[in-house]
């Protein structure tokens, strides 16, 4: 079956679409290659083990091959990168239900070939009846209701986001971008990646009757080769195709959302749905070693926190350090703990709380933070206070796709329903899962959320407010102002550190896209005071040295990251999907694939 036709030609049934899970399987490292030169000897993805895709005519990198094919076909039809992003987003809502969504929200960073940059906030919003203490019990303790069930859902923003992005930048007709997803929802054959996701989440998927009906066969997870039919979702997507944003925020879909909320004790009303708006924000722009890094401002903490880290790191000669040696890892962790201390205290929805974004990414603040870093010792997080004055006292799972078209327009989108399969509630009759994004607010200052983030009162719940995010869709321009890197990832609180590493791997260490993406990842978020590193990602001598310097080392199996990056070198785009999850990069006209040395 020609996947391209299957995904796009109306009336062609998709029941026979069978796709392989994942992109190119990691190949064995070429004989004789010194795989230890960059990474620890036992690291899972030695240099040269992943084959990137190359194209000069456009590229789509997502966590799912079908969604990447849909986006690439829109580019082939003459759509631009934003058109492809819209079609990809709706396709992911069907074929990647654990995170792709219309019931969640996200952020888009755009850099058009004419130099226009834009940042679109389509983050979920607290319902009008939300209250600051809604997740506390009578004794003042935080309950699980911010994570599971109807109360956990914020007003979804994805459809408004896609609509607004298309209104400003799109070229192809809206319906043409939504219809591929309608056809996918009518039926696809479950592929490996999807089957693995259903299996891993089999206990969660039976907690809600409607979720169980759609994603399991009488409680048993769907397997490779089974058909996944999402008829209600197809009808909802058809309303969106026909009526645009109103097909979701008004009429039948909004009624179904309110009815679901009434049934389950949730708060979202038709009035909340009608009030939702996607908002254009000024992107965060940071100079880093001659490059310009463009990313998302609050209500995402991604841009400011990444910017603060990069500005601190810019003061050190990273390119001359041994990659992931003790000195490099130490400085990364120290920069990170300081940037997260600021993030957790100050950042929030800018429409509710004044934001110190410019100060946070300034050279002066970076110098002040750097002055507190010792080269030979870790600073305990208890001694690292927020660095921009008194913070306000009152008031993943996620997915990312990167797209470029032949003209050089670039789009980075990170979108989420927060946990895998969101709040586990499917809106009956409408067929889509709702988010549990309310957990990204501070339910109680000082008490960690599901990502262990200890956040402050600035991010307290209030009606109509958007919860702080860590999503970091990012575009890097080279010193002559041309797009060099389009990137982003899921991973909750680890998103920011993963993207700082991706940027640094390319800018500081000159890595190709495959090597940068497969490199072992690090994470420090101030609290808990631990330096996480991927299992076998650091050599034992480095771990011992870092311990001796006072770092609490935490070796973890598989960070949640799923970095999707496009790197432009000499006018050609190369891309890989993160080998940790098995997505796929698809080039519009793939000129070659192979192992990059
Ligand atoms: N829900 C994860 C984030 O927005 O950071």
């Amino acid at each position: 079956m020609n996947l391209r036709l299957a995904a796009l030609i109306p009336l062609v049934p998709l029941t026979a679409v069978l796709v392989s899970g994942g992109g190119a399987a990691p190949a064995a490292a070429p004989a004789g290659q010194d795989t230890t030169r960059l990474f620890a000897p036992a690291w899972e993805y030695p240099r040269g083990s992943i084959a990137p895709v190359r194209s000069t005519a456009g590229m789509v990198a997502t966590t799912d091959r079908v969604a990447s094919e849909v986006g690439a076909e829109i580019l082939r039809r003459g759509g631009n990168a934003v058109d492809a992003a819209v079609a990809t987003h709706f396709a992911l809502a069907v074929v990647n239900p654990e995170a792709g969504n219309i019931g969640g929200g996200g952020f888009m960073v755009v850099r058009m070939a004419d130099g226009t940059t834009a940042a679109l906030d389509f983050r979920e919003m607290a319902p009008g009846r939300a209250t600051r203490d809604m997740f506390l019990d009578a004794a003042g303790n935080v309950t699980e209701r911010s994570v599971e069930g109807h109360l956990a859902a914020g007003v979804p923003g994805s459809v408004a986001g896609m609509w607004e992005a298309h209104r400003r930048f799109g070229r192809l007709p809206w319906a043409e971008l939504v219809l591929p997803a309608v056809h996918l929802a009518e039926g696809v054959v479950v592929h490996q990646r999807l089957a693995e996701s259903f299996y891993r989440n089999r206990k969660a998927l039976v907690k809600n009757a409607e979720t169980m009906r759609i994603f399991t066969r009488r409680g048993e997870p769907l397997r490779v080769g089974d058909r996944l039919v999402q008829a209600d979702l197809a009808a909802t997507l058809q309303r969106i195709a026909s009526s645009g944003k109103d097909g979701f925020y008004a009429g039948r879909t909004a009624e179904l959302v309110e009815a679901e909320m009434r049934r389950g004790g949730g708060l979202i009303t038709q009035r909340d749905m009608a009030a939702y708006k996607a908002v254009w924000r000024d992107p965060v722009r940071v100079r880093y070693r001659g490059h310009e890094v463009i990313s998302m401002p609050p209500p995402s903490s991604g841009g400011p926190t990444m910017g603060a880290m990069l500005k601190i790191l810019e003061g050190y000669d990273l390119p001359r350090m041994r990659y992931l040696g003790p000195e490099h890892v130490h400085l990364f962790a120290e920069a990170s703990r300081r940037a997260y201390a600021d993030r957790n205290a100050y950042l929030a929805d800018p429409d509710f709380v004044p934001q110190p974004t410019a100060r946070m990414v300034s050279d002066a603040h970076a110098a002040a933070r750097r002055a507190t870093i010792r080269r030979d010792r870790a600073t305990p997080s208890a001694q690292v206070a927020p660095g921009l004055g008194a913070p306000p006292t009152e008031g993943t799972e996620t997915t990312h796709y990167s797209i470029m078209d032949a003209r050089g327009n670039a789009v980075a989108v990170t979108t989420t329903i927060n946990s895998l399969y969101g709040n586990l509630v499917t809106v009956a009759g409408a067929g889509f899962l709702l988010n549990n994004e309310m957990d990204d607010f501070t339910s109680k200052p000082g008490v960690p959320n599901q990502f262990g983030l200890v956040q402050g009162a600035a991010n307290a719940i209030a009606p109509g407010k958007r919860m702080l995010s860590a999503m970091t869709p990012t575009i890097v321009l080279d010193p002559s102002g041309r797009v060099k890197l389009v990137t982003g990832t899921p991973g909750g609180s680890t998103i920011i550190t993963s993207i700082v590493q991706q940027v640094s791997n390319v800018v500081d260490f000159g890595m190709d896209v495959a090597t940068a993406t497969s490199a072992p990842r690090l994470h420090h978020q101030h609290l808990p005071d631990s330096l996480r590193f991927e299992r076998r990602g650091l050599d034992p001598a480095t771990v011992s040295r870092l311990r001796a310097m006072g770092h609490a080392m935490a070796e973890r199996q598989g960070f949640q990251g799923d970095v999707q990056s496009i790197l432009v070198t000499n006018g050609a785009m190369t891309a890989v999907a993160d080998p940790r999850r098995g997505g796929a990069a698809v080039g519009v006209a793939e000129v070659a694939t192979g192992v990059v040395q």
Side-chain angles (χ1 to χ4, degrees):
M1 161 79 67
N2 180 332
L3 194 58
R4 212 184 286 176
L5 293 178
L8 286 157
I9 296 179
L11 305 179
V12 174
L14 282 162
T15 48
V17 174
L18 179 62
V19 296
S20 65
Q33 182 179 307
D34 178 6
T35 57
T36 66
R37 195 165 59 84
L38 268 173
F39 303 150
W43 175 236
E44 194 172 349
Y45 307 108
R47 186 162 190 240
S49 65
I50 305 167
V53 173
R54 295 173 196 274
S55 170
T56 50
M59 185 75 81
V60 181
T62 84
T63 196
D64 186 275
R65 179 172 290 282
V66 175
S68 298
E69 291 281 4
V70 167
E73 181 57 16
I74 293 297
L75 295 180
R76 289 183 196 107
R77 287 180 167 208
N80 65 17
V82 173
D83 291 319
V86 172
T88 301
H89 193 105
F90 286 114
L92 281 168
V94 180
V95 297
N96 186 41
E98 66 175 37
N101 68 81
I102 56 173
F107 301 100
M108 176 185 286
V109 173
V110 178
R111 208 298 181 141
M112 301 300 280
D114 67 4
T116 305
T117 56
L120 182 60
D121 160 10
F122 54 99
R123 182 67 160 165
E124 299 90 329
M125 177 180 94
R129 289 185 292 151
T131 57
R132 191 190 61 176
D133 297 333
M134 62 187 275
F135 296 119
L136 302 186
D137 64 16
N141 297 318
V142 177
T143 64
E144 279 296 297
R145 286 179 305 184
S146 67
V147 179
E148 226 175 273
H150 294 70
L151 268 188
V155 182
S158 284
V159 177
M162 294 304 113
W163 180 252
E164 181 56 30
H166 180 260
R167 186 197 64 73
R168 181 162 171 194
F169 292 115
R171 289 161 59 115
L172 295 186
W174 168 259
E176 198 174 319
L177 307 178
V178 188
L179 282 177
V182 174
H183 296 297
L184 290 169
E186 284 164 354
V188 286
V189 175
V190 172
H191 56 61
Q192 186 73 26
R193 194 188 58 74
L194 201 47
E196 282 171 11
S197 171
F198 290 150
Y199 183 77
R200 273 198 312 273
N201 295 282
R202 61 195 180 284
K203 291 195 180 121
L205 290 175
V206 297
K207 290 187 176 181
N208 171 271
E210 196 58 9
T211 304
M212 176 168 127
R213 183 181 72 76
I214 295 168
F215 297 109
T216 75
R217 184 182 286 163
R218 290 180 292 283
E220 290 302 312
L222 295 180
R223 295 170 185 213
V224 173
D226 286 344
R227 279 184 85 211
L228 171 62
V229 177
Q230 302 176 78
D232 291 336
L233 178 59
T236 300
L237 288 166
Q238 184 61 64
R239 287 192 289 278
I240 294 168
S242 308
S243 307
K245 176 176 176 283
D246 288 348
F248 187 79
Y249 292 97
R252 178 95 183 120
T253 315
E255 282 165 24
L256 288 166
V257 170
E258 185 172 298
E260 182 63 52
M261 288 288 130
R262 279 216 200 90
R263 239 187 331 274
L267 300 182
I268 302 172
T269 60
Q270 290 184 66
R271 181 192 281 243
D272 289 324
M273 294 287 282
Y276 187 86
K277 285 188 176 46
V279 183
W280 293 104
R281 311 265 183 201
D282 291 334
V284 172
R285 305 174 80 126
V286 171
R287 300 296 305 179
Y288 183 64
R289 293 194 219 274
H291 294 68
E292 183 169 16
V293 181
I294 304 168
S295 193
M296 200 65 215
S300 183
S301 64
T305 313
M306 170 174 64
M309 279 186 73
L310 289 173
K311 293 311 279 185
I312 295 172
L313 291 172
E314 197 175 28
Y316 301 106
D317 199 1
L318 293 195
R320 298 179 75 88
M321 290 176 197
R322 177 158 77 81
Y323 186 71
L324 295 187
E327 191 182 22
H328 176 208
V329 176
H330 168 68
L331 292 172
F332 184 92
E334 293 305 307
S336 189
R337 87 166 82 230
R338 285 162 177 78
Y340 273 77
D342 290 342
R343 174 213 183 270
N344 297 341
Y346 304 114
L347 299 185
D349 184 340
D351 296 337
F352 283 71
V353 182
Q355 292 295 282
T357 307
R359 285 167 64 209
M360 202 168 150
V361 301
S362 68
D363 289 319
H365 184 55
R369 285 308 220 179
R370 222 180 287 121
T372 68
I373 295 176
R374 283 180 58 167
R375 299 293 287 250
D376 60 339
R377 286 295 304 163
T379 317
S381 287
Q383 293 171 18
V384 177
L388 293 166
T393 49
E394 281 297 327
T396 153
E397 193 50 41
T398 306
T399 191
H400 177 88
Y401 49 94
S402 295
I403 300 181
M404 266 191 90
D405 63 30
R407 289 175 288 274
N409 301 309
V411 178
V413 177
T414 315
T415 180
T416 188
I417 44 178
N418 203 10
S419 303
L420 287 166
Y421 299 94
N423 70 352
L424 306 179
V425 175
T426 298
V427 178
F432 61 89
L433 283 155
L434 285 166
N435 65 83
N436 61 349
E437 221 68 64
M438 293 296 284
D439 188 62
D440 275 351
F441 277 120
T442 306
S443 291
K444 185 175 179 178
V447 176
N449 71 359
Q450 67 165 319
F451 300 113
L453 283 168
V454 179
Q455 308 184 107
N459 186 35
I461 303 171
K465 189 174 175 184
R466 297 174 189 217
M467 55 295 283
L468 186 62
S469 170
M471 291 189 273
T472 315
T474 295
I475 297 172
V476 180
L477 308 185
D478 70 15
S480 54
R482 285 183 301 251
V483 172
K484 178 176 181 131
L485 179 69
V486 188
T487 190
T489 184
S493 59
T494 68
I495 290 173
I496 302 166
T497 38
S498 294
I499 297 308
V500 170
Q501 263 191 278
Q502 193 75 352
V503 171
S504 173
N505 286 350
V506 167
V507 172
D508 295 324
F509 296 96
M511 289 184 192
D512 62 80
V513 71
T515 308
T517 305
S518 57
R521 298 204 175 118
L522 308 170
H523 181 65
H524 200 302
Q525 59 182 41
H526 186 240
L527 293 175
D529 189 349
S530 66
L531 201 174
R532 275 190 242 169
F533 64 101
E534 279 190 288
R535 193 158 76 96
R536 297 199 293 258
L538 298 180
D539 66 67
T542 296
V543 175
S544 301
R545 175 78 193 114
L546 288 162
R547 258 199 202 107
M549 292 166 81
H551 288 284
M553 303 302 292
E555 186 168 16
R556 292 282 173 84
Q557 170 73 47
F559 272 38
Q560 292 160 296
D562 186 19
V563 176
Q564 308 293 337
S565 297
I566 302 170
L567 181 67
V568 185
T569 335
N570 300 326
M573 303 162 209
T574 52
V576 288
D578 198 319
R580 293 162 183 81
R581 296 269 185 106
V586 174
V588 169
E590 293 175 18
V591 291
T593 58
V595 173
V596 167
Q597 301 298 326

